[in-house]
Amino acid sequence: MKKKINLIIAGIFIALIAYGSYTYLIGTGQDTVIKIKQVDRNGTLINSPIILAGKFLHNYDFNPQIQDYDLTNSNDLPSNFTKKNQNLTLKYNSNLNTKHVANTLNKSHLVLSMAQELSTTSLGGSQKANYSSSSVARLRILTSGNGTSWQRLNIDYPNIQMRNTTPLWNGHDLYVYFGKEAMYTNDFQSWKILRWSSHFNKGRIKKQHVFSVKGRTYMLILGNTSKNKENRVYYARIDTKDGAVKSKWNRIIDWSCSVSSRQLNN
């Protein structure tokens, strides 16, 4: 009997030591860091990477769901902090179908394209631009009915660095111009490269803008045809069927004067 009591006491004592060691380990150990990247079907970041830190085996408060996106590898997400640091990539597919996105663009009074900086995090609702070599800037399309309230289209975006973007929607194809390059899509999942003009191949394009006059669409450019020349303002007519330039480039000599209707008819 005495031997049995001693065994029970010894078992309790061992259990207390094990529990104490366990609580000490998870309570005083170094924090585990989990870095989470959320990407769409093209591997493009949807948001800036999320960093979670906490004690080993502790639960963390993180909701992986993103509006208009379906998570495809939820099993890769642990339920609590692991012992070692982790880098996780959560993969999503946009669940917006082609017809829905096209209707949204057709009904919108305004369509805007911009580059979202994803290498820095926002603070107090604002975000500092990063123009260094570590910058990660990805395309975003926004729509609005009044110019005040804007909604982002949660589609699958091209995984390519973009800045100073300009959109063109012709009712079935979405074109995005950025400098000398352009891309387009009609299913809002896969994107193709468009070689839209060779006029500035030896120079650079600093800014571009698409506008329409009397049923014709034009591209307005701030740039130059040679890197050693001063920037000038040019315009040319664009065919909205394929997004390419269909006229010669005309330089605006005096930017203080408006472009005449006669010039735009050229």
Side-chain angles (χ1 to χ4, degrees):
M1 184 67 180
K2 185 177 180 180
K3 184 177 180 181
K4 186 175 181 180
I5 293 174
N6 289 337
L7 288 174
I8 293 174
I9 293 173
I12 294 174
F13 182 72
I14 293 172
L16 289 172
I17 293 176
Y19 179 76
S21 300
Y22 167 78
T23 55
Y24 177 82
L25 176 64
I26 66 173
T28 62
Q30 185 177 359
D31 282 353
T32 298
V33 176
I34 300 178
K35 184 176 182 180
I36 301 174
K37 291 183 178 181
Q38 297 168 292
V39 302
D40 64 22
R41 74 172 72 233
N42 296 322
T44 307
L45 282 171
I46 300 173
N47 299 305
S48 296
I50 298 169
I51 297 178
L52 306 173
K55 303 298 182 184
F56 173 49
L57 294 182
H58 283 195
N59 294 328
Y60 52 80
D61 185 18
F62 171 68
N63 181 7
Q65 302 304 317
I66 302 176
Q67 182 179 350
D68 300 327
Y69 289 95
D70 294 327
L71 179 60
T72 62
N73 63 332
S74 58
N75 292 334
D76 293 344
L77 188 64
S79 58
N80 46 39
F81 285 101
T82 56
K83 192 173 183 180
K84 295 182 178 180
N85 294 342
Q86 282 189 297
N87 291 315
L88 298 178
T89 299
L90 298 182
K91 300 177 182 179
Y92 298 78
N93 291 338
S94 173
N95 55 35
L96 299 179
N97 60 50
T98 302
K99 184 178 180 180
H100 174 86
V101 178
N103 287 340
T104 299
L105 290 168
N106 287 330
K107 292 178 181 178
S108 299
H109 293 166
L110 298 168
V111 177
L112 172 70
S113 65
M114 60 173 290
Q116 180 181 2
E117 181 59 62
L118 295 163
S119 56
T120 60
T121 56
S122 60
L123 180 62
S126 61
Q127 191 175 30
K128 184 178 180 181
N130 179 8
Y131 292 98
S132 68
S133 59
S134 63
S135 169
V136 179
R138 294 297 183 265
L139 173 67
R140 298 292 182 256
I141 302 294
L142 297 93
T143 62
S144 176
N146 54 20
T148 302
S149 176
W150 294 84
Q151 294 77 40
R152 189 180 95 173
L153 277 181
N154 291 329
I155 59 177
D156 297 302
Y157 287 97
N159 191 15
I160 186 171
Q161 187 82 349
M162 286 193 189
R163 289 195 185 277
N164 300 323
T165 61
T166 300
L168 171 62
W169 168 247
N170 63 9
H172 50 84
D173 293 312
L174 176 62
Y175 296 88
V176 177
Y177 302 88
F178 53 106
K180 301 178 187 178
E181 301 176 281
M183 300 190 78
Y184 69 98
T185 182
N186 52 30
D187 63 5
F188 312 106
Q189 296 179 1
S190 58
W191 292 77
K192 298 177 182 178
I193 296 175
L194 172 69
R195 304 299 180 188
W196 62 279
S197 177
S198 60
H199 187 72
F200 299 92
N201 280 352
K202 295 182 180 180
R204 67 172 184 168
I205 295 175
K206 191 173 182 180
K207 298 282 186 181
Q208 71 278 319
H209 179 69
V210 173
F211 66 99
S212 297
V213 176
K214 296 183 178 181
R216 289 185 174 184
T217 301
Y218 297 87
M219 174 73 78
L220 191 68
I221 291 292
L222 173 63
N224 55 58
T225 56
S226 174
K227 292 182 179 180
N228 297 323
K229 290 184 178 181
E230 186 179 352
N231 289 329
R232 295 284 188 265
V233 179
Y234 301 84
Y235 71 92
R237 187 163 58 87
I238 290 180
D239 188 343
T240 57
K241 293 181 180 179
D242 61 10
V245 172
K246 295 301 181 181
S247 72
K248 68 176 183 178
W249 285 95
N250 299 277
R251 184 161 72 91
I252 300 176
I253 306 299
D254 186 358
W255 180 237
S256 63
C257 300
S258 60
V259 182
S260 67
S261 298
R262 184 178 180 180
Q263 284 178 294
L264 291 178
N265 286 330
N266 292 333

